[in-house]
Amino acid sequence: MPGRKRDIIAYFHSLDRRSFMDRPQQDAELDEALPIGYGQTISQPSLVLKMTIALGLEERHKVLEIGTGSGFQTALLAAFSNEVYTIEKIPQLYESAKTRLEAKGFKNIHFLLGDGSLGWPEYAPYDRIIVTAAASDIPKELVDQLSPGGRMIIPVGHRYSQDLLAVDKSSDGNIEKTVLEAVRFVPLKGKYEN
């Protein structure tokens, strides 16, 4: 994994965050979350990288992303996995991210406009699931769609304070949760909204 981690870090640094914003901002180089409209943000870059590395991505993996947002995280996932299925609830963000990522030449990203907290059962199970907005609890639907041996990274908690969790599913279906760090994300829209 050390070589792969290095590759992810190098690719991450090659991504121009400004190109994932409709209105490029002079603050794009700062390591902080920035607004992208509709009450949503493009996440703090160091946290995007940390969450991606925590997934333990492999080239063969099928990944479910909840909250496409700007598409910044999606691009990172798509470069280091086989297929990415990404769900966005806000139509304007869905359209702009889809246009942006297709223009960048990605062929392994599948887009859905809908309630991400319910997952995308049609293509389940997923080797990895990443949730980029805060849920009040771990959605059962997402746990059910996680492959045995799979891992989900998700912020869970109250509106203004959450724990970033790694949720690992064993081969016999048991779930183990590990707190990675304290975080603050915008709320997950839909059934598990804060």
Side-chain angles (χ1 to χ4, degrees):
M1 182 66 183
R4 190 154 180 78
K5 181 177 175 181
R6 262 197 315 273
D7 292 345
I8 290 172
I9 292 168
Y11 183 76
F12 168 81
H13 287 298
S14 79
L15 283 176
D16 182 359
R17 191 175 182 221
R18 289 169 299 185
S19 71
F20 291 88
M21 301 178 180
D22 290 331
R23 293 183 302 276
Q25 302 173 24
Q26 60 185 19
D27 293 338
E29 301 302 317
L30 299 177
D31 189 32
E32 58 186 52
L34 295 171
I36 54 171
Y38 315 100
Q40 303 302 299
T41 59
I42 184 170
S43 294
Q44 177 183 353
S46 61
L47 189 53
V48 170
L49 180 61
K50 207 174 283 185
M51 289 173 71
T52 303
I53 290 170
L55 278 174
L57 289 176
E58 295 177 17
E59 284 178 29
R60 63 180 173 81
H61 283 159
K62 179 166 54 166
V63 180
L64 176 63
E65 178 189 38
I66 309 303
T68 315
S70 68
F72 183 64
Q73 176 84 70
T74 319
L76 198 54
L77 297 171
F80 292 94
S81 60
N82 186 35
E83 301 285 334
V84 175
Y85 294 80
T86 185
I87 308 173
E88 176 55 56
K89 190 167 179 62
I90 299 168
Q92 297 89 335
L93 292 179
Y94 165 85
E95 288 296 340
S96 62
K98 186 172 191 290
T99 300
R100 185 179 291 131
L101 290 162
E102 287 175 349
K104 289 181 181 298
F106 287 103
K107 305 280 188 225
N108 62 335
I109 303 173
H110 311 275
F111 300 87
L112 178 67
L113 180 64
D115 182 353
S117 67
L118 304 177
W120 198 342
E122 183 182 354
Y123 297 102
Y126 301 94
D127 302 297
R128 299 291 185 264
I129 299 176
I130 187 166
V131 184
T132 62
S136 56
D137 202 356
I138 300 171
K140 180 186 183 306
E141 293 84 349
L142 298 184
V143 173
D144 291 346
Q145 291 173 41
L146 188 61
S147 295
R151 170 172 269 209
M152 173 167 42
I153 302 294
I154 179 171
V156 175
H158 304 292
R159 179 173 283 271
Y160 299 108
S161 171
Q162 306 101 31
D163 286 327
L164 186 63
L165 301 180
V167 180
D168 292 295
K169 185 188 259 190
S170 67
S171 54
D172 59 3
N174 287 326
I175 295 299
E176 183 180 320
K177 296 178 271 189
T178 307
V179 177
L180 302 179
E181 65 180 90
V183 291
R184 187 170 169 190
F185 277 82
V186 296
L188 178 65
K189 302 289 185 188
K191 182 176 175 183
Y192 291 86
E193 191 166 346
N194 280 317

